[in-house]
Amino acid sequence: MRHVLGLKQWKWQRIGALAAAVCGVGVGLLKGLQPVAWLGIGSALILTCSVLTLYFVMLACPKIRNGRLLLSFVMVAFLSLVLNPPEAGFRAWERLGFFLLMLGLLSPLVDNSLLRRLRPMMWRGMMWGFRVVVFLSFIGFLCLCAGVKFLNNGYWMSFSGVTAGGMLLAPVTAVVLIDLLWRMLGQSVRRWTFWGMLTASVAAGAMMLQAGSRIATLGVLGAVVVMLWFRRRRIRNLRRHPVAAALLVIIALGTAVLIVPRVSDTIAHKFRIGSNHSSLTYSRDIKWEGRLEEFRSAPVFGIGFATQRVFSRQFDNETRSRSTGVVEPGSSWLSVLAQTGIAGFLLLSVFNLKLIITLLRRQRPEDGSGFYLAMLAFLLINGIAEGWILYAGSAMFFPYWALSGLIAQNSSPKTINH
C-alpha cells in the first residue's frame, strides 16, 4: 500500500501513532457508547471506523508483521465491548487501553530497535524482583519455623510470604525455580556458584510448595520435562559436582522434614474439600462453569473484554465486583473464551501455537529455546486455573507477554539472565 501511495515507512509509523492516539481519545470520550447527537451517528460506528483505520494502517507497516494475530485479537476485544456495552464498574474501556499499551511494550505487537534493547532489560528487572520476593519470603518462613514473628502469615491453608496470598507467591517462586534449574542443567558454572543455585532452588521449591498451589506445582513439573528433553545430552553438572549433588539431597531431605507436615495439611485440606464435592478441582469447577455459561450466552465475540456476568455465591462477591471490577475469572483461557468469544480464543490459540512451533524449529544445543519453551509451558499450564492473561495488573501478565516478545525477537537467554 505504501508503495502505491508513494509514502515512506517513517510516515506510515507517524500515521499509525496518530491513528492510535485518535483511537485512544475516542475510546475515552465515547466509552459510554451514547449517540453523538451533533453528528447524527452512533459512537459505536465511530469507534469501529477508528479501530479499522488503525488496523489497516498498522498492517501496512512491516515493523509489526509478527503482531498481526495480536492486533486482530485487540480488534475482537474492541468489538466485544461495542456489541456488549460494559457496566461502568468494570472499567472495561480503561483496562483495554492499558492492555493495548502493555502489549505494545512487551509483546510482538510492535517491533523496533528500542524495544528490542528494552525487553531483555525489563525481563532482568522482573527476575531480580521475583528473586527478592522469594528470598524475603524464605527468610520469613524460617523465622516462623523458629518462632520469630517476622511476617504476619500463618501456616494454615497457605503461606504467602511477602505477597498478598499464596496463589501469588506460588507462581512467582515457580518462575524463579525454572530459571535456576535451567542454569544448573545447561551451563558450566563454578562449584560454589552451583551450590548457591542448588540452595536457592530448594528455597524456591519450598516456598512454592508451602504456598499450596497445585497448578503451579504441576506447571513446574511440565517445565522440568521440557528442560530435561532439551538438555538430555548436556546434563553434566550433577556428575561434575558429586559433592553438590549430595548436598542437594541433604538440603532437600532437611527441608522436607521441616515443611512436609504443613504442606500436607494444606494439600490435604484442599483434597478434602474436593472429595466432599466429588471433584478434586471443586473451587475451580464453579468458576469454569461460570465462564462456559458466559461463553454460551455470547459465543462469537464474547460478553465483553474484562467483564463478568456469572458470579458464584461461595467464591465471588458480586456487589464488590460490579462496583470495583475486581474479579477472579478462575482460568486465563476460559476467560478469553468468555470475554472475546470463539473469535478471540482461536486467535490467541494460534498465537501460542506459533510461539511453540517457532521454538521447536529453532532448537539447537547452544540455543535457549528450551528455556523459553519451559517457561512458556509453565505459564500455559498455570493459565488453566489462574485468570491473569487479560489483566495487565496481574503478576503473571508481565512474564507471559514479555516472554512472547523475547521469543519473537530471538533474544539469547544469556542476554536476559545476566
Side-chain angles (χ1 to χ4, degrees), residues 180-370:
L180 288 168
L181 291 176
W182 175 258
R183 294 202 201 190
M184 286 192 298
L185 296 177
Q187 298 179 9
S188 297
V189 295
R190 295 180 180 180
R191 178 171 297 181
W192 287 105
T193 303
F194 187 79
W195 288 9
M197 288 193 294
L198 285 178
T199 305
S201 298
V202 173
M207 291 299 91
M208 183 186 68
L209 293 175
Q210 188 64 62
S213 174
R214 292 171 291 178
I215 193 64
T217 305
L218 183 62
V220 169
L221 292 178
V224 168
V225 170
V226 172
M227 286 189 287
L228 292 177
W229 169 257
F230 271 79
R231 293 299 193 187
R232 60 191 181 277
R233 298 178 181 177
R234 300 189 66 197
I235 301 176
R236 302 170 182 171
N237 278 327
L238 291 181
R239 290 183 299 178
R240 291 181 180 179
H241 303 284
V243 177
L247 180 64
L248 173 62
V249 174
I250 294 173
I251 294 175
L253 290 175
T255 304
V257 171
L258 186 65
I259 71 171
V260 163
R262 298 181 178 93
V263 171
S264 62
D265 287 343
T266 302
I267 301 299
H269 180 74
K270 291 187 175 182
F271 277 111
R272 280 196 298 269
I273 294 176
S275 177
N276 293 336
H277 295 86
S278 302
S279 174
L280 297 179
T281 57
Y282 167 68
S283 62
R284 284 296 178 261
D285 286 344
I286 295 178
K287 292 185 177 295
W288 293 343
E289 290 171 2
R291 304 295 79 76
L292 291 174
E293 183 178 342
E294 291 169 345
F295 165 68
R296 288 190 289 268
S297 66
V300 181
F301 293 107
I303 63 172
F305 183 89
T307 58
Q308 186 170 325
R309 291 181 181 175
V310 179
F311 299 88
S312 66
R313 294 182 178 179
Q314 185 172 356
F315 297 105
D316 293 319
N317 186 329
E318 182 174 355
T319 302
R320 178 170 177 262
S321 296
R322 290 187 182 277
S323 61
T324 64
V326 176
V327 297
E328 185 182 353
S331 171
S332 288
W333 317 122
L334 289 183
S335 65
V336 171
L337 185 65
Q339 294 176 19
T340 63
I342 193 66
F345 182 81
L346 288 178
L347 286 170
L348 202 58
S349 298
V350 174
F351 173 73
N352 283 304
L353 183 60
K354 287 187 68 176
L355 292 178
I356 294 173
I357 293 175
T358 297
L359 293 173
L360 292 177
R361 287 178 176 175
R362 189 189 295 169
Q363 60 174 306
R364 296 182 299 273
E366 71 281 1
D367 194 89
S369 302

Side-chain angles (χ1 to χ4, degrees), residues 115-152:
L115 289 177
R116 282 176 174 266
R117 295 192 301 270
L118 183 61
R119 283 166 182 159
M121 296 170 61
M122 291 190 295
W123 181 273
R124 290 198 299 272
M126 178 203 74
M127 286 303 307
W128 278 108
F130 281 8
R131 291 165 188 162
V132 170
V133 169
V134 174
F135 176 76
L136 293 178
S137 298
F138 187 67
I139 295 298
F141 173 73
L142 294 180
C143 290
L144 285 174
C145 292
V148 178
K149 188 176 181 181
F150 175 65
L151 298 172
N152 189 25

Side-chain angles (χ1 to χ4, degrees), residues 64-84:
I64 58 164
R65 284 179 180 171
N66 291 331
R68 291 185 178 183
L69 279 171
L70 290 180
L71 190 57
S72 299
F73 178 78
V74 171
M75 285 196 63
V76 170
F78 269 105
L79 191 58
S80 72
L81 293 179
V82 170
L83 297 177
N84 301 281

Side-chain angles (χ1 to χ4, degrees), residues 1-9 11-12 15 56-57 60:
M1 181 184 294
R2 67 180 185 277
H3 295 296
V4 175
L5 298 178
L7 296 178
K8 295 182 179 180
Q9 177 180 323
K11 289 187 177 181
W12 275 107
I15 294 173
F56 287 112
V57 167

